[in-house]
Amino acid sequence: MFVHVVNFWLKKGLSQEEIQKFEAGVSSLADVDTVDVFSVGKPAKTDRPVIDRSYDYCLLTTFEEEAGHDVYQTHPIHLKFIDDCKELWEKVLIYDSESI
């Protein structure tokens, strides 16, 4: 399994409309046909010293293999999300992993 985790830090002071635009855009990624598991959410309320809650949204997607991830990266839905929403975030941090 190939796991793709993306944490987003949105720009401060976005309007509710801009936040809704981001949420709709990131949610559209579930429609990419190579995605096996899709989840997007906000930091949980858990609070321990080892937990980073500084991000605004976390996207989790899994793929059967890296080839599915590669299709996702160039898929029109993914490219549209980036083009439509890139001005809304100030930082993106990605963690990709493969199951052992």
Side-chain angles (χ1 to χ4, degrees):
M1 177 187 326
F2 191 94
V3 179
H4 180 64
V5 178
V6 184
N7 289 341
F8 295 91
W9 286 259
L10 298 185
K11 291 181 178 176
K12 303 299 179 216
L14 293 179
S15 68
Q16 189 60 36
E17 182 178 272
E18 290 170 316
I19 292 169
Q20 289 172 345
K21 176 181 177 180
F22 172 82
E23 289 180 352
V26 74
S27 294
S28 74
L29 298 173
D31 295 332
V32 177
D33 56 356
T34 59
V35 172
D36 291 332
V37 174
F38 178 88
S39 177
V40 65
K42 295 182 176 187
K45 292 185 177 17
T46 51
D47 189 20
R48 299 186 307 277
V50 296
I51 297 175
D52 177 6
R53 297 180 67 234
S54 67
Y55 61 92
D56 295 299
Y57 290 87
C58 179
L59 167 67
L60 168 77
T61 53
T62 69
F63 306 87
E64 187 174 324
E65 56 192 24
E66 187 175 355
H69 167 265
D70 294 345
V71 169
Y72 167 86
Q73 287 298 320
T74 59
H75 195 283
I77 293 172
H78 184 249
L79 297 177
K80 179 172 176 23
F81 163 65
I82 294 170
D83 191 50
D84 289 351
C85 296
K86 63 186 173 192
E87 75 278 358
L88 302 175
W89 59 72
E90 65 182 39
K91 178 181 174 182
V92 173
L93 188 58
I94 299 171
Y95 297 94
D96 287 338
S97 65
E98 294 181 273
S99 297
I100 56 173

